[in-house]
Amino acid sequence: MAGTFSGPRIGVALGGGSARGLTHIPYIEAMDELGLRPAVIAGTSIGALIGAGWAAGMTGAELREHSYQVLGTMRIIAGKLWATQLRGLGGILKNGISIQLDATSIVDAFTPPGFPLEFRELKIPLYVVATDFQSWHQVVFNTGHLRPAIAGSIAIPSLFKPVVYANHILVDGGVVNPLPLDQADIDTDFLIGIDVNGDPSQGISKTDHKALDLWFGSAQIMMHSLTAHMMAAYPPDIYIRPHVGTFGAMEFWRVREIVMHAEKEKDRFKRILDSKIEAWIANRQPVLPS
């Protein structure tokens, strides 16, 4: 019966980290190249957005190409943001110009044409983590409408307006669960966590922090602490934390640099993953009587 053993059911947790989350893409490509398909994807913030594309059937290469197209220059990003914010002169006269972005419009603007509307249309089960601002608890979506769930998960406080959906007032999932290992561990055998929050090494000697640096840096410290507790409760079989400190949290226009930066780690990740999957299979082979 040894030949009937197949690989493990893989759960992948894609963490939040704003623009740094674009480093998820080379790791998705690595799994594609090894012929490995997750059984469950869980995502927080940009991890939810990229995870939704993966769950919808996009390959890592397609995610890369799409990211280059919609984030390739500041002009492209500004044009999309301008279009989603203003909605024409009537919108300005009626609503004024808000300094807060609308997360649902952002999801619509930056997803490809024909992107699924419902979780049931996805090819891989997806768990999207957001934060309920009123109850202070995490909210996990895996059924119903897809886009408002993602919008709630990416709604960074102050930068985005909260998303009102399913009797919740939602803000960024990173506030409660920046690396959703607990969700990726549902009915899976092998757990991978990709933590794109960064680390302090790049800015450890810097002293001239701007106000925005302090705001995002404080959020990173909070998310680092939350992730440590999550890893203690749900230890991943593979934990990846790319060094992304050189990239600003909102520097999405540096998409090519960010993706290529993580590309250097792709082969190492493939070797580790291939070795650990082989070991998992070997440990489950029955011992034949001599």
Side-chain angles (χ1 to χ4, degrees), residues 7 35 44 67 71 76 88 104 116 127 139 170 199 215 249 280 282:
T44 293
S67 298
L71 299 171
I76 293 171
T104 306
Y127 294 84
V139 185
L170 301 171
D199 59 64
W215 193 92
W280 185 93

Side-chain angles (χ1 to χ4, degrees), residues 224-242:
H224 174 73
S225 179
L226 289 169
T227 295
H229 287 290
M230 182 60 72
M231 288 179 63
Y234 298 90
D237 295 281
I238 294 180
Y239 170 68
I240 297 293
R241 186 171 75 170

Side-chain angles (χ1 to χ4, degrees), residues 201-272:
S201 60
Q202 295 290 337
I204 202 99
S205 59
K206 185 178 178 180
T207 55
D208 58 334
H209 296 286
K210 297 182 177 67
L212 196 61
D213 294 335
L214 289 169
W215 193 92
F216 278 111
S218 298
Q220 278 183 283
I221 295 167
M222 175 195 73
M223 291 194 288
H224 174 73
S225 179
L226 289 169
T227 295
H229 287 290
M230 182 60 72
M231 288 179 63
Y234 298 90
D237 295 281
I238 294 180
Y239 170 68
I240 297 293
R241 186 171 75 170
H243 296 290
V244 289
T246 54
F247 302 106
M250 302 311 293
E251 291 181 338
F252 285 96
W253 62 89
R254 297 177 68 185
V255 55
R256 285 178 172 79
E257 284 180 76
I258 295 170
V259 172
M260 292 306 294
H261 180 77
E263 172 108 20
K264 293 179 283 189
E265 289 290 301
K266 191 163 84 168
D267 284 342
R268 187 176 75 90
F269 174 66
K270 284 169 70 174
R271 287 195 299 272
I272 294 169

Side-chain angles (χ1 to χ4, degrees), residues 28-232:
I28 294 171
E29 290 177 332
M31 290 188 66
D32 290 342
E33 289 163 18
L34 289 173
L36 296 173
R37 177 185 170 99
V40 170
I41 300 167
T44 293
S45 201
I46 190 167
L49 182 57
I50 290 175
W54 195 12
M58 295 176 75
T59 65
E62 288 168 342
L63 286 165
R64 180 193 291 239
E65 185 56 35
H66 178 70
S67 298
Y68 286 178
Q69 286 176 4
V70 298
L71 299 171
T73 67
M74 179 71 92
R75 183 176 179 180
I76 293 171
I77 296 170
K80 282 185 171 288
L81 293 180
W82 185 254
T84 61
Q85 280 301 97
L86 301 186
R87 300 292 188 195
L89 184 59
I92 300 173
L93 297 176
K94 183 179 177 183
N95 305 314
I97 301 177
S98 172
I99 60 168
Q100 288 185 301
L101 299 171
D102 180 81
T104 306
S105 296
I106 295 297
V107 172
D108 289 340
F110 288 98
T111 48
F115 198 73
L117 299 176
E118 304 273 340
F119 276 89
R120 61 194 166 101
E121 299 173 52
L122 299 174
K123 297 176 180 176
I124 300 171
L126 174 71
Y127 294 84
V128 170
V129 173
T131 301
D132 186 310
F133 186 73
Q134 291 175 296
S135 73
W136 296 8
H137 291 117
Q138 81 171 7
V139 185
V140 182
F141 297 98
N142 72 327
T143 60
H145 297 297
L146 178 61
R147 295 177 189 223
I150 298 171
S153 187
I154 70 167
I156 298 170
S158 297
L159 183 62
F160 290 92
K161 290 182 284 189
V163 174
V164 179
Y165 174 60
N167 297 316
H168 300 287
I169 296 178
L170 301 171
V171 296
D172 190 343
V175 172
V176 288
N177 190 354
L179 186 64
L181 294 165
D182 56 331
Q183 303 305 311
D185 196 43
I186 294 173
D187 195 28
T188 55
D189 308 307
F190 191 95
L191 186 57
I192 300 172
I194 304 178
D195 178 1
V196 295
N197 184 45
D199 59 64
S201 60
Q202 295 290 337
I204 202 99
S205 59
K206 185 178 178 180
T207 55
D208 58 334
H209 296 286
K210 297 182 177 67
L212 196 61
D213 294 335
L214 289 169
W215 193 92
F216 278 111
S218 298
Q220 278 183 283
I221 295 167
M222 175 195 73
M223 291 194 288
H224 174 73
S225 179
L226 289 169
T227 295
H229 287 290
M230 182 60 72
M231 288 179 63

